[in-house]
Amino acid sequence: VINYYQTHEDSMAEVAARFDILPSQVSIWRSIFEREGITALNPQPKGRPPKVNHPKKQRRQLAHQSELDRLKEELAKKNQELYETKMERDILKKSLSLFGPLRPGRKRK
C-alpha cells in the first residue's frame, strides 16, 4: 500500500479506497515507514510470550537430545568399524596380489 502511495499520484483517500482500508491506516503506515523503515511494517508475533518453560517439555527435549546424541555416537562407532573392516579387506587383497594364493600340498623341509 505504501509503495503504491509513493509511486502513484493518488491521494491517501483514493489509495485507501483502492485497497479497501481506512485513510487513517494509510497515514499511520506512511509515518511508521518514514520513521523506522520497511522492517517496522512486517507482521509482529501475536500473543503474550510464555513466562517459563514447562518442566515436562524440558524433560522431553533433554530425552530427545540425549537419544540423538546416543544415536550419533552409535553411528560414529559403526562407521569406524566399517572403515577398519574395509582396511583389513584391502590389506588381504593386496597380500594376495603380491604373494599369490596358498598352494596346499607342497611342504618345504
Side-chain angles (χ1 to χ4, degrees):
V1 174
I2 298 301
N3 185 26
Y4 184 85
Y5 175 72
Q6 290 179 341
T7 56
H8 294 80
E9 295 184 9
D10 294 346
S11 68
M12 275 192 209
E14 292 170 339
V15 172
R18 178 176 180 83
F19 290 100
D20 195 28
I21 55 175
L22 296 174
S24 61
Q25 188 63 53
V26 177
S27 175
I28 291 169
W29 286 345
R30 186 180 57 87
S31 63
I32 291 173
F33 176 75
E34 289 175 356
R35 273 185 286 131
E36 301 174 36
I38 191 70
T39 57
L41 296 175
N42 290 336
Q44 303 296 321
K46 295 183 180 180
R48 185 188 323 175
K51 290 184 179 179
V52 275
N53 288 335
H54 296 287
K56 287 183 181 179
K57 284 185 181 178
Q58 287 177 345
R59 275 187 261 149
R60 274 190 234 136
Q61 287 175 347
L62 287 175
H64 178 69
Q65 187 176 13
S66 63
E67 178 73 13
L68 201 62
D69 291 339
R70 185 185 65 77
L71 290 173
K72 284 181 181 179
E73 187 176 318
E74 187 178 333
L75 180 62
K77 285 180 184 178
K78 295 293 182 186
N79 284 337
Q80 183 64 30
E81 288 177 18
L82 179 63
Y83 174 76
E84 290 171 0
T85 305
K86 284 182 178 181
M87 291 301 291
E88 289 174 8
R89 182 201 63 203
D90 291 345
I91 290 171
L92 288 172
K93 280 184 176 180
K94 189 68 171 180
S95 67
L96 281 175
S97 69
L98 290 175
F99 303 113
L102 294 176
R103 296 182 188 138
R106 276 187 132 184
K107 291 186 180 178
R108 293 186 178 182
K109 291 186 177 178

